[in-house]
Amino acid sequence: MPDFRVIEKNNLDSILPLLQLINPTTELSVLAERLEAMKSTDYQCLGVFDGDRLVGICGFWMLIKIYVGKHIEPDNVVIHPDYRSQGIGEQMLAWIFDYGRQHGCIASELNVYVQNSPGIKFWMSQGYKIIGFHMQKNLSTSDTPPETTHC
């Protein structure tokens, strides 16, 4: 039976190997730099542990937006390949939803890339509905678009 608990901010670097699984084209140093910056925000991360081994993560934020109110947003959901198809993803989301409800959230929202068909299928099986498009504009001075992955 896996153990679910929020990873302390001073231990967030432990999630980097799992983050790299869904961000294979992003250098580890870039992921570490971004994660370090996120430590000063409201970002939290649920860890799934098999003994001492971190086998799954689900980052999350609690936000308030005009159109939906207070909601919880899962982000960077990863299960180690050795632990997939065992119901851990559903258990993580049940934990996230309960946590959100306990903190006054009335909904959950997330982003998923349009080319991630398995992800879209999973999220829809969890009761999510497609309600719009997530759009992005590059504000950097280079012509290179921001990096995207298949999370």
Side-chain angles (χ1 to χ4, degrees), residues 77-148:
V77 179
V78 188
I79 306 293
H80 188 280
D82 294 347
Y83 289 81
R84 292 181 184 157
S85 299
Q86 298 179 25
I88 292 173
E90 290 86 356
Q91 292 174 48
M92 271 197 322
L93 287 180
W95 189 99
I96 291 289
F97 298 155
D98 287 343
Y99 189 87
R101 283 186 204 99
Q102 291 169 17
H103 289 86
C105 293
I106 61 170
S108 177
E109 292 191 333
L110 56 82
N111 294 303
V112 62
Y113 291 106
V114 294
Q115 69 270 29
N116 183 359
S117 297
I120 293 168
K121 182 178 177 185
F122 172 78
W123 294 115
M124 292 184 85
S125 77
Q126 299 304 305
Y128 286 87
K129 296 183 178 10
I130 298 170
I131 62 167
F133 294 100
H134 177 89
M135 300 178 80
Q136 186 178 75
K137 177 178 176 52
N138 183 6
L139 300 178
S140 71
T141 57
S142 73
D143 290 331
T144 307
E147 295 181 45
T148 58

Side-chain angles (χ1 to χ4, degrees), residues 19-27 149-150:
L19 285 177
Q20 204 159 36
L21 291 176
I22 60 169
N23 297 282
T25 62
T26 306
E27 295 291 327
T149 60
H150 299 326

Side-chain angles (χ1 to χ4, degrees), residues 51-72:
D52 290 335
R53 184 178 184 196
L54 181 61
V55 300
I57 57 172
C58 179
F60 62 95
W61 315 78
M62 285 186 277
L63 308 161
I64 298 173
K65 294 182 183 170
I66 296 295
Y67 71 92
V68 68
K70 188 171 184 179
H71 63 284
I72 192 164

Side-chain angles (χ1 to χ4, degrees), residues 2-62:
D3 179 32
F4 296 78
R5 62 182 181 266
V6 174
I7 298 171
E8 298 294 325
K9 290 215 180 200
N10 61 342
N11 289 328
L12 277 177
D13 290 347
S14 67
I15 74 174
L16 286 168
L18 289 174
L19 285 177
Q20 204 159 36
L21 291 176
I22 60 169
N23 297 282
T25 62
T26 306
E27 295 291 327
L28 185 60
S29 62
V30 172
L31 293 174
E33 180 182 309
R34 291 175 181 169
L35 186 60
E36 186 62 33
M38 290 166 65
K39 290 178 184 178
S40 66
T41 70
D42 292 333
Y43 177 80
Q44 296 182 72
C45 187
L46 173 64
V48 181
F49 295 85
D50 181 6
D52 290 335
R53 184 178 184 196
L54 181 61
V55 300
I57 57 172
C58 179
F60 62 95
W61 315 78
M62 285 186 277

